[in-house]
Amino acid sequence: MTEELPAEIATLADRVGVALGEPERLGVAFSGGVDSSVLLALATRSLGADRTLAILGVSSSLAASERRAAHEVAAEIGAPLVELRTHELDRPEYRANGPDRCFHCKTELFSRIDDSVARRYHLTAIAYGENADDARRPDRPGSAAATNHRVLRPLAEAGLGKDDVRRVARALGLRSADKPAAPCLASRIPHHEPVTAAKLRQVEDAEEVLHALGFTEARVRHHGETARIEVPPGDLLRAVSEPARTELVRGVRAAGFRFVCVDLAGVQSGAFTLPLLTPSLRGDA
């Protein structure tokens, strides 16, 4: 992927290249989402494919569809990819599912990269796809784990926000350019309710039903026997109309839920975490 870029995009790419520095070989914590895809693509352009490695953490919290998509994007970029099995469910702090769950998840990932992958693949630096907008959000405790493990965040350091990242992705022709955000499956479980492999599987199976019906941006929140479905406001009418309604009810119940409801508020990023961290969302003065 070495085509000429428009001047404005080339400037953004150059800023990221400066933030990357000159590692002998860089490992990119990779998910296939637009942020890590742009980081991987720009690292590959700057350093070369032989000095860049995509590292995909695989666990119960990663949907199978996301795993397949990540491989496709890495192949499109031309970067080698390795999978790393992570075991965040073995960590009591992660299973407890407090607002700092992401910190323990990222700690698991970065610790395992430090312990095995870095030595095996001769990596001299690790980076991940935090962008400048994420860096300003209070519900991103994974950033602290990155700091603890000296993980680079070149997109944020170069000042690229989400809109910038998507513009770069479109200029590079990445299939993930307009991909909706896809947080890990554990984000669908309310904080302080334990994360289990069984709950993660229920969420994944239910969301696959939505995707099969053409709801490309959809989340299923796990409330015990109840599945609370979030889709964009423009998709609400279709979700509660035939034939989608019947298929949704049938498929989501087959995933293990007893009750199926659609949230009129639509898709809500940080729905469980932000109210615990932001006073105005808690109704405080």
Side-chain angles (χ1 to χ4, degrees):
M1 304 184 69
T2 57
E3 68 274 12
E4 190 77 15
L5 295 174
E8 182 185 7
I9 302 301
T11 298
L12 295 175
D14 289 344
R15 280 161 42 187
V16 174
V18 171
L20 282 169
E22 287 291 336
E24 291 182 21
R25 198 171 193 214
L26 176 73
V28 175
F30 184 66
S31 67
V34 65
D35 297 316
S36 65
S37 296
V38 165
L39 176 57
L40 180 65
L42 294 182
T44 302
R45 288 175 68 95
S46 177
L47 303 172
D50 60 331
R51 292 172 59 193
T52 309
L53 180 68
I55 304 168
L56 176 64
V58 177
S59 71
S60 300
S61 65
L62 177 69
S65 58
E66 294 295 319
R67 183 179 182 180
R68 291 191 298 270
H71 278 269
E72 292 168 359
V73 174
E76 179 181 76
I77 291 170
L81 180 149
V82 296
E83 291 190 345
L84 174 66
R85 178 64 63 174
T86 60
H87 301 275
E88 53 266 30
L89 280 170
D90 290 346
R91 292 178 176 259
E93 303 91 347
Y94 175 87
R95 294 196 307 273
N97 197 22
D100 62 347
R101 183 196 63 243
C102 289
F103 169 80
H104 301 292
C105 181
K106 285 293 192 292
T107 295
E108 168 71 8
L109 173 64
F110 296 145
S111 296
R112 291 191 177 274
I113 292 174
D114 284 349
D115 292 344
S116 58
V117 175
R119 288 196 301 270
R120 187 182 315 150
Y121 294 99
H122 310 291
L123 305 177
T124 57
I126 307 296
Y128 88 123
E130 179 184 83
N131 64 56
D133 293 334
D134 288 339
R136 289 188 287 268
R137 288 184 57 158
D139 61 332
R140 293 292 188 268
S143 180
T147 299
N148 291 347
H149 289 269
R150 302 183 300 281
V151 174
L152 306 175
R153 55 200 92 190
L155 299 179
E157 185 176 334
L160 273 69
K162 196 70 171 188
D163 289 342
D164 296 320
V165 170
R166 290 201 184 277
R167 284 192 294 126
V168 174
R170 293 185 192 106
L172 293 172
L174 297 179
R175 69 175 64 193
S176 56
D178 296 304
K179 184 178 185 292
C184 81
L185 296 173
S187 68
R188 317 303 200 264
I189 302 170
H191 286 305
H192 305 300
E193 294 187 12
V195 176
T196 67
K199 290 178 182 178
L200 297 174
R201 175 56 62 85
Q202 279 184 279
V203 169
E204 180 177 5
D205 289 349
E207 290 190 354
E208 281 300 311
V209 173
L210 282 151
H211 296 158
L213 289 170
F215 296 96
T216 56
E217 185 177 5
R219 296 174 190 171
V220 175
R221 306 289 185 180
H222 193 295
H223 296 276
E225 293 185 316
T226 300
R228 176 166 58 87
I229 295 171
E230 295 179 358
V231 296
D235 285 338
L236 287 172
L237 182 59
R238 185 163 72 89
V240 298
S241 302
E242 300 299 348
R245 186 193 70 84
T246 295
E247 293 301 317
L248 277 178
V249 171
R250 180 185 298 118
V252 174
R253 282 180 175 170
F257 294 97
R258 183 179 178 189
F259 304 107
V260 183
C261 67
V262 176
D263 193 324
L264 297 181
V267 175
Q268 303 153 69
S269 177
F272 289 140
T273 305
L274 284 172
L276 300 180
L277 302 175
T278 308
S280 63
L281 294 177
R282 296 197 304 261
D284 296 350

